[in-house]
Amino acid sequence: MPQGQKSKHHTREKRHQSRGDSQSHRRVQAPVAMEECPTSSSPVLEGNTQSLSSTESTNTSQESWGAPSTTITSSGISGTRSDEGKNSQDEEHLRFSDVLPSTESSYTDILTMKVGLLEQFLLYKYKMKQPIMKEDMLKIIGQNYKNQYPEILKRASECIEVVFAVDLKEIDSTSHSYDLISKVKLPNNGRVHAGRGLPKTGLLMTVLGVIFVKGNCAAEEDIWKFLGMMRVFAGRKHFIYGEPRKLVTKDLVRLKYLEYRQVPNSEPPRYEFLWGPKAQAEISKMKVLEFLAKVSDTVPSAFSSRYEEALRDEEARARAKPTASGNYRGTSSSFSHPY
């Protein structure tokens, strides 16, 4: 085969492989072993987040802001190409969808593509600790879709919120600069460790949520079973969370957001997770339930008995400290939503 044809053939194979990986990410689901099913007819954790992680879209976005070759999207939450952690059909789930651009895309498809591009841009800026400027976001969206900017930005920020548990906030109304703010006061704005990186807040909120719906105490095997459905495995390095076991059993325990203890009289030793003292002080059960509900595309009251418990917790916090609910979002009360 001539060299030129070999090159083209190789390129097509690479593109096919890339799309195959995207297809595998498209079906990533994360069942939550809830104590009870919501009363809503929609499944628990079946909110779709839109992202763009095909080879073509990555190249386009890189040309726009000089991002590295690594695609940073909510669809990449799986962090692996393994087939492990396949979903049980009888469990509720969260699906992360990839949207592949097409020359025959409808107007809605094009808007979805723009949402994916902006999503990548926002996460790249967060990772690099760079300010997010409105003028740059408008460049990403394009002049022809300037009027749709608020809708596109809202959808992109919501996609990021349900995966990473960070909120897009305007930090300077004069220069129109924004930042992604962690919902929890984890060190380095949710990164946990010093330096650059993506937020770990989503994993913490997820684990806290599983603990809560399991009756405020979750067996370690239940935690890893759930995280495995998200393709987050103990002992396997994850491109967002690093080594998940260290993050969950050591880092977040050291920071007092989680408690990790041996089950009394267990032989062989078994372990369980509880909320740590800092989580109890800073994060209300209602806020965790609201996060789970948003991920589930439902409402907190759909969680039945847990909702009643969360209401009681909210009332107790209000009596003890009127501003307790504000602790969840840290200093975000001084920020404004950009849409």
Side-chain angles (χ1 to χ4, degrees):
M1 182 182 296
Q3 185 65 32
Q5 292 182 7
K6 283 185 178 179
S7 177
K8 290 180 180 179
H9 179 71
H10 180 69
T11 301
R12 283 196 296 270
E13 285 185 340
K14 291 274 287 184
R15 185 172 299 171
H16 178 75
Q17 181 182 1
S18 175
R19 290 187 177 179
D21 293 340
S22 294
Q23 291 285 346
S24 68
H25 290 323
R26 190 181 305 184
R27 299 192 62 81
V28 173
Q29 301 169 342
V32 174
M34 295 297 175
E35 188 177 66
E36 69 278 332
C37 295
T39 56
S40 170
S41 59
S42 61
V44 179
L45 301 189
E46 195 170 17
N48 289 347
T49 62
Q50 306 298 330
S51 63
L52 184 66
S53 61
S54 69
T55 304
E56 293 87 350
S57 65
T58 305
N59 291 340
T60 301
S61 60
Q62 288 168 9
E63 291 170 2
S64 301
W65 68 82
S69 59
T70 302
T71 303
I72 308 170
T73 66
S74 61
S75 64
I77 192 72
S78 64
T80 177
R81 298 176 185 176
S82 170
D83 289 332
E84 296 180 35
K86 289 186 177 179
N87 316 345
S88 299
Q89 294 180 354
D90 59 344
E91 292 185 294
E92 293 80 13
H93 60 273
L94 167 66
R95 178 173 296 163
F96 300 106
S97 299
D98 287 309
V99 180
L100 299 178
S102 169
T103 56
E104 299 177 357
S105 294
S106 65
Y107 174 76
T108 301
D109 293 332
I110 294 174
L111 283 187
T112 299
M113 183 182 70
K114 297 292 183 181
V115 169
L117 285 172
L118 188 58
E119 187 182 338
Q120 291 184 45
F121 173 75
L122 294 173
L123 287 171
Y124 173 74
K125 287 293 187 179
Y126 174 96
K127 181 180 181 181
M128 303 305 293
K129 289 188 165 183
Q130 296 175 354
I132 301 168
M133 309 303 296
K134 181 178 180 179
E135 60 179 337
D136 292 333
M137 291 191 285
L138 287 171
K139 289 177 183 177
I140 296 296
I141 293 171
Q143 186 65 31
N144 292 340
Y145 294 89
K146 184 177 180 180
N147 292 337
Q148 287 73 39
Y149 166 76
E151 177 190 353
I152 294 171
L153 181 61
K154 184 174 187 291
R155 286 174 57 185
S157 61
E158 287 176 347
C159 289
I160 292 172
E161 180 186 1
V162 299
V163 175
F164 295 97
V166 292
D167 295 312
L168 181 66
K169 300 291 183 181
E170 185 177 51
I171 57 177
D172 190 332
S173 58
T174 303
S175 62
H176 298 292
S177 62
Y178 304 83
D179 197 4
L180 292 170
I181 306 298
S182 172
K183 288 181 178 290
V184 182
K185 297 178 184 178
L186 289 172
N188 198 10
N189 190 23
R191 297 175 183 87
V192 176
H193 302 293
R196 298 171 178 173
L198 291 170
K200 313 300 186 289
T201 316
L203 186 70
L204 172 60
M205 291 293 286
T206 298
V207 172
L208 291 175
V210 174
I211 293 171
F212 179 40
V213 300
K214 280 289 188 179
N216 298 304
C217 181
E220 181 176 17
E221 52 265 32
D222 289 336
I223 295 292
W224 289 115
K225 179 181 177 182
F226 170 67
L227 294 180
M229 298 299 180
M230 295 172 60
R231 300 195 176 188
V232 176
F233 303 104
R236 180 179 299 181
K237 188 173 183 180
H238 192 279
F239 86 105
I240 295 174
Y241 307 128
E243 206 294 279
R245 179 178 291 280
K246 179 179 180 295
L247 177 62
V248 172
T249 64
K250 295 187 181 298
D251 296 337
L252 294 177
V253 172
R254 173 177 52 82
L255 293 169
K256 301 187 183 303
Y257 283 99
L258 293 176
E259 182 180 345
Y260 179 63
R261 70 185 186 188
Q262 183 176 342
V263 177
N265 303 318
S266 60
E267 186 59 44
R270 291 171 40 246
Y271 294 84
E272 59 190 6
F273 285 93
L274 299 88
W275 284 32
K278 224 173 175 184
Q280 295 178 29
E282 296 179 8
I283 312 169
S284 72
K285 292 178 179 178
M286 183 61 76
K287 294 303 181 182
V288 170
L289 210 57
E290 288 173 353
F291 176 76
L292 289 180
K294 184 165 288 191
V295 171
S296 311
D297 194 23
T298 184
V299 292
S301 58
F303 291 88
S304 302
S305 64
R306 294 303 163 200
Y307 180 70
E308 296 299 322
E309 182 180 345
L311 280 178
R312 292 192 296 270
D313 177 68
E314 200 81 349
E315 292 169 358
R317 287 172 179 272
R319 289 194 299 269
K321 188 176 181 181
T323 59
S325 60
N327 287 340
Y328 174 74
R329 296 187 182 274
T331 59
S332 64
S333 59
S334 62
F335 302 145
S336 61
H337 284 286
Y339 42 81

